[in-house]
Amino acid sequence: MGTSVIQDNAKFANVMANFKVHSTAAANGALVFAGTHWPLGVADVNAVGATSVGRQMRREIDYAFAEARAMLAAGFVKAAAACQGEEAAGLLMKKWFGRRQSGPGQNDWWQGAYRIIGQLQALLSKDINVFYRGDDTLIGKPDDYPGATGNLVARDVAGYAETSAGATDGNIGLCKLFFRRESGGVFKTAQKGRDSIGGCIVHELSHNYCGTEDHDGKGGGTCYGDASCQKLARERRRRAWYNADNIEYFCEDAYYGIVAAKQAIQSGAVNTASNLRNAHKQIIDALVPQPKNTVAQGGVRQPGQVTGEVALRRAIFQATAIVENPSLPTNPVVSTGKVSALRGVFEQ
């Protein structure tokens, strides 16, 4: 969706007027398996005829909502800290919502994102109505949302999840990509990390409860995914603060400790704090300079081979920059000018 400055400002004014600053809420709401289309074993795992597939689906759904509640609590605490001036939290806010502005006559977009996360965190402590939209056999069957008329169509089951933007009714449908499997039956949607199963819930309910958007980027195209959302934060702060993926990614980072863009790290795993540390070590191992005495023992220093404590610090700094931006070159940095260029990765 493309929005104007007037629309973005109006949205901010509405959020600031109607979304209160909440305290961290207890996650005591229930999941209500609503509607008529759930497979046996999901709504009631002890039902006659319940299958192992249905029971497994129920475990996955329970897990997803537990993760969503936990990451929203973590995101709320982190956003509050950032708005109060805590430096590390502020860097995370900058990553997903852009550089802060809070001068006279300016909208503090960070405050807007903070209010959205707080609103979500508070509302997710209440009951949530979950509907099944998980396979194509539902197409043509009656729409079982409260008050709905007509039958389900292909777009109702496509994607991961769906809801009505701004409805504030707590109704969410889980669609077929949410339940997709690898060969062998392994659940395919990420359990943790970027674009996780819990993050999917945060994304959709931010639409429902808070009216977030799937914005268009500056150059066109919907802002889905890590790179597009970070670009939106740099170039269109007035949209990033209420873009659903930016809200999701901020909360995932706050909860899982993700510190960089999604990338393949040998195993191809989604980046979490653990495998990012492994990636960081891999890069340092490739860049680490040899001590001078080792080089001397090995004969003449090879072209491009770096030595000494200063070079080691440069290698560590370069490794950190590459984890943040995998497109950077991995050749060892040997000049102060190149180190300064790498520093710009963190100052955008």
Side-chain angles (χ1 to χ4, degrees):
M1 174 181 177
T3 53
S4 67
V5 174
I6 293 175
Q7 289 172 313
D8 295 331
N9 288 337
K11 177 66 177 180
F12 181 80
N14 179 269
V15 165
M16 295 302 289
N18 295 297
F19 291 4
K20 299 178 181 179
V21 176
H22 297 277
S23 59
T24 303
N28 56 3
L31 283 182
V32 178
F33 288 85
T36 58
H37 300 313
W38 283 106
L40 280 171
V42 179
D44 181 0
V45 297
N46 297 314
V48 175
T51 65
S52 59
V53 172
R55 294 189 183 101
Q56 179 61 28
M57 289 174 66
R58 173 60 181 268
R59 286 192 292 270
E60 292 163 355
I61 296 165
D62 286 343
Y63 173 83
F65 279 88
E67 288 291 279
R69 285 172 166 140
M71 76 174 61
L72 278 166
F76 177 76
V77 171
K78 187 71 75 173
C83 290
Q84 293 166 10
E86 202 273 320
E87 184 176 4
L91 290 174
L92 190 59
M93 288 289 277
K94 180 180 176 181
K95 177 181 178 181
W96 295 115
F97 307 118
R99 178 173 50 82
R100 190 177 193 181
Q101 62 176 36
S102 56
Q106 293 182 317
N107 290 330
D108 185 351
W109 307 120
W110 286 18
Q111 281 286 343
Y114 170 43
R115 295 289 184 97
I116 286 174
I117 294 167
Q119 184 81 348
L120 275 174
Q121 195 259 157
L123 290 171
L124 272 176
S125 68
K126 301 180 180 180
D127 291 354
I128 301 169
N129 305 309
V130 190
F131 294 78
Y132 185 62
R133 299 287 185 269
D135 63 74
D136 289 332
T137 64
L138 296 174
I139 297 172
K141 292 184 178 180
D143 188 334
D144 56 349
Y145 274 162
T149 58
N151 296 329
L152 297 172
V153 296
R155 68 173 179 271
D156 293 319
V157 301
Y160 291 90
E162 58 91 30
T163 191
S164 298
T168 68
D169 53 14
N171 294 333
I172 182 170
L174 299 181
C175 305
K176 61 183 182 181
L177 289 184
F178 186 92
F179 298 105
R180 63 182 177 165
R181 296 289 191 277
E182 302 277 11
S183 59
V186 178
F187 197 56
K188 191 171 184 178
T189 305
Q191 300 294 290
K192 296 181 182 294
R194 179 68 71 241
D195 288 318
S196 65
I197 189 172
C200 172
I201 302 301
V202 170
H203 178 113
E204 292 302 327
L205 285 178
S206 77
H207 286 318
N208 186 284
Y209 284 136
C210 303
T212 58
E213 301 286 352
D214 296 321
H215 279 295
D216 292 341
K218 183 179 179 180
T222 303
C223 277
Y224 292 131
D226 199 303
S228 294
C229 290
Q230 288 193 54
K231 183 178 181 182
L232 186 69
R234 293 192 299 270
E235 299 180 355
R236 282 291 183 271
R237 290 172 290 171
R238 62 183 174 84
R239 292 179 182 172
W241 69 277
Y242 71 113
N243 190 63
D245 256 10
N246 288 64
I247 294 291
E248 173 193 339
Y249 291 166
F250 175 84
C251 292
E252 285 176 340
D253 280 12
Y255 183 47
Y256 295 123
I258 305 171
V259 295
K262 186 176 181 179
Q263 66 183 97
I265 302 177
Q266 292 189 353
S267 67
V270 173
N271 285 4
T272 62
S274 176
N275 59 29
L276 278 171
R277 282 193 294 270
N278 292 336
H280 191 274
K281 183 179 184 301
Q282 291 166 17
I283 296 169
I284 288 180
D285 288 345
L287 296 173
V288 66
Q290 297 296 314
K292 288 183 178 179
N293 59 349
T294 302
V295 174
Q297 293 170 4
V300 179
R301 187 175 68 177
Q302 299 300 312
Q305 189 172 17
V306 292
T307 63
E309 183 180 353
V310 172
L312 176 59
R313 290 179 180 177
R314 287 176 178 167
I316 292 172
F317 184 82
Q318 184 180 4
T320 304
I322 291 169
V323 171
E324 181 70 19
N325 182 354
S327 66
L328 291 171
T330 58
N331 296 326
V333 172
V334 295
S335 73
T336 302
K338 290 184 178 180
V339 171
S340 298
L342 287 175
R343 187 177 293 114
V345 172
F346 304 102
E347 295 176 348
Q348 294 177 353

